[in-house]
Amino acid sequence: MSVEATVSKYKTNSFRLYMAVCIVGAAVLAYDGYLSKYDWSKRQSFYKKHYIENDNQPSDAMKFNMYSPFVLLPLGVFFAFKWVTSKNKKVVAGDTSLDVCGTEITYASMESINKTHFDSKGFFTITYKDSHGSNNEIKISDRDYDGLGIVLDEVVAKIS
């Protein structure tokens, strides 16, 4: 019987929050930087203060409002990409192996499980030998996956 831990709600909500802050911030700053010069704009006083009263040169605040949307918008798209791609990540403890986001670790290749910090800090590490015979270590955290305690119990039961 397989037991799985899906990606944590904390992580997906963080990506959504970062994405929203970047996109809304880019829109607000672009409005101040590019649209505040028009009469219909509610922020024409900002334009007068930071452009007209500054000898028709943009002040540092105006330059920031003009250039930062070009950084914030791609950053928002990056967080949207991370949010969409993180939905499919999970840890599955199957009958013969542990699958960590596509990385198969057989129970026979596991050398040790260090779960001393699982109760206090929420992570455990697994030391295993890969197919080439080299030692590898993987750290699995409960900040990344929900339901990790059940998976850990299943792995410990399988290798014991």
Side-chain angles (χ1 to χ4, degrees):
M1 182 172 122
S2 296
V3 178
E4 71 178 40
T6 57
V7 68
S8 73
K9 297 291 182 196
Y10 170 80
K11 192 169 195 166
T12 56
N13 288 342
S14 294
F15 285 143
R16 287 177 33 197
L17 178 68
Y18 298 154
M19 173 188 63
V21 166
C22 288
I23 291 172
V24 168
V28 168
L29 293 173
Y31 183 85
D32 276 350
Y34 293 104
L35 301 177
S36 63
K37 62 184 171 185
Y38 298 109
D39 292 334
W40 52 266
S41 172
K42 304 290 186 201
R43 297 280 291 165
Q44 195 171 23
S45 63
F46 179 83
Y47 179 75
K48 287 178 183 175
K49 179 180 178 186
H50 293 282
Y51 192 83
I52 294 175
E53 293 175 4
N54 197 27
D55 298 327
N56 288 332
Q57 295 295 320
S59 68
D60 290 338
M62 182 63 93
K63 287 179 184 177
F64 178 79
N65 288 352
M66 292 174 77
Y67 299 131
S68 62
F70 294 109
V71 174
L72 289 175
L73 200 56
L75 196 58
V77 170
F78 169 75
F79 285 126
F81 175 76
K82 293 292 281 182
W83 173 54
V84 168
T85 58
S86 72
K87 288 183 179 182
N88 297 329
K89 294 184 178 184
K90 59 185 171 183
V91 176
V92 179
D95 293 331
T96 59
S97 64
L98 176 70
D99 182 11
V100 182
C101 299
T103 304
E104 291 280 334
I105 304 169
T106 61
Y107 296 127
S109 67
M110 291 183 190
E111 294 181 350
S112 68
I113 297 177
N114 184 359
K115 58 181 182 173
T116 56
H117 299 292
F118 188 69
D119 291 331
S120 62
K121 297 182 181 177
F123 70 90
F124 64 92
T125 56
I126 298 175
T127 305
Y128 65 97
K129 283 192 182 261
D130 63 2
S131 59
H132 303 294
S134 61
N135 283 340
N136 289 326
E137 188 174 274
I138 188 166
K139 178 181 172 183
I140 304 172
S141 174
D142 65 352
R143 290 188 182 172
D144 295 333
Y145 303 100
D146 287 338
L148 202 56
I150 300 168
V151 171
L152 178 61
D153 293 339
E154 181 73 18
V155 170
V156 169
K158 292 286 186 179
I159 64 170
S160 297

